[in-house]
Amino acid sequence: MSATPGRIVIVGGGVAGVSTVAALRAGGYDGTLTLVDAGEFPYDRPPLSKDYLAGKRDFEQIALKPAGWYETQSVRLIRRAQVTALLPGQGLVQLADGTTLPADRVVLGTGGTAARLPIPGAAEVGVQVLRTVEDAGRLRDALPAASRALVIGAGLIGAEVASTLAGLGCAVVLADPAAPPLAAAVGPELAAWLHDQHRTRGIDTVAAGIASLRRTSRGIEALLGGEKEARVVDLVVLGVGMVAATPLAEAAGLEVDRGILVDSAQRTSNPAVLAVGDVTRSRADGTQAGHWDAARRDGERAAATLLGRPAPVASAPWFWSDRHGRHIETVGRMAAADRTVVRGRLGDEPFAVFGFRGTTLVGAVSVDDTFAVRTARRLLDGAIPVDADLLADPSTNLRRLLRG
Amino acid sequence: MSGTGIRVAALDDIPEGEGITVDRAVTGTEDDIALLRDDDGSVWALNDTCTHETASLAEGWVEKGHVECPLHASRFCLRSGKVEGLPATRDAVAHRVEVRDGEVYLFPNETSS
């Protein structure tokens, strides 16, 4: 086994990077640990589309770790800093201000940027996106003067932003050509129900893309696909996914294909460089998780690799979404299901949908019923056989079912 | 505080691997109390509100010395309240609990030895 590296530099203070740092120290790593982050202070992204956008939480309240944590963990945190080059051959990381940091290993957690669509007029009207706290701040600042909003894209971010804006009293048009959005992630039945929740909350959902945008004296005129009359709004938010931030990796000669390619131990094509979180893509199966929990687990796996320990036990993919006051969780791969059973009644919260392929559980989605998904997660992780009828029966105690 | 503690529940009221909430009016604590029963049968007490947002830890998943928040799955040590998994960053407040003759007694703001 190779010795534990003496100096590790982590680039990017999102949940993946910070989890790497935390897991290294928790695992007893006593070398020099430096976290370089472009932002003001490492923060958590999920609240950006919800409580932070709504003004219910401030920046200090979304910090990933409290201010004193880095010092007590002997982590050098370099904030507001851009990494301009990785020089793995020389064991150096170069910053924009000319500083070089010696590094035996580098972990890249550079995340991504909000995807843009080539919509005519988008630049002219100042279409907003939501990826960073700066984005959320701009959106927040625009809200007092905005009573009508168009949200483009009804996936997770779009749906959450639409929900938050509607909750703040904004008249919202939510446009997405997919009918319904998120069908692959949560299954078609639940996707349809979830999307319909927007309508019942007064959001105008339109199954269309955007043909053009332009600024006029009335506001922003948005022409939707298939419509003749433009919609007039004060604000346009685009939520159509993410593009991995790979320039640094590419310049360093790492293998990149719509994400930094990593193996199951988070190793890139360069043995001195690991990568974690949204910036990565699996070399083995081409998947790109793009979720908070996956990023956190990447960090734990990267730390294990750096410490020369076996990888932590893998767990089925899991994510949540909070919108319209409801908590939705998904685990596993609903897209792999060939049949579903409902625990409770679909549309009558709390309820959950379990996906099976033949007799094998492959995924679950819950609405205000986290026990269902937490149970499914453990069933999936343990490859424990389970009877679909038992899961569907609301009188079955799931906790006990798992204990056997 | 010492003495006999406050009787807050019968042991049988709390299924293994689950929790119940005791109102702060009963316990005199700053927050409601989550009584959490581990899968080995032991009982622990934490302030009920997750330190991340506003979920009730009594509705969380209790397993192997930890409780997992029902909302975003932050993990806390049952014994110490120590936060062991993001997104929460602050520890939960733990209170000492004693089980005598099938009854659960709470010692608010005392730590477990």
Side-chain angles (χ1 to χ4, degrees), chain A residues 356 359-361 379 382-387 401:
Chain A
F356 281 82
T359 57
T360 307
L361 180 71
L379 290 167
I384 301 166
V386 63
D387 183 69
L401 178 73

Side-chain angles (χ1 to χ4, degrees), chain A residues 16 41 55 59 65 100 147 173-174 188 207 219-220 223 284 366 369 382 391:
Chain A
F41 194 80
F59 187 62
K65 293 285 183 188
T100 50
S147 58
V173 178
L174 178 60
I220 299 168
L223 187 63
S366 67
D369 182 9
L391 277 182

Side-chain angles (χ1 to χ4, degrees), chain B residues 9-24:
Chain B
L11 186 59
D12 290 345
D13 292 345
I14 323 168
E16 282 179 16
E18 293 176 32
I20 61 170
T21 312
V22 184
D23 197 284
R24 70 189 84 182

Side-chain angles (χ1 to χ4, degrees), chain A residues 64 322 327 370 374 399 403, chain B residues 16 62 68-72:
Chain A
L64 274 167
D322 296 312
H327 181 69
T370 58
R374 307 292 167 91
R399 198 69 184 72
R403 238 180 279 132
Chain B
E16 282 179 16
V62 184
E68 180 183 291
C69 173
L71 265 190
H72 306 125

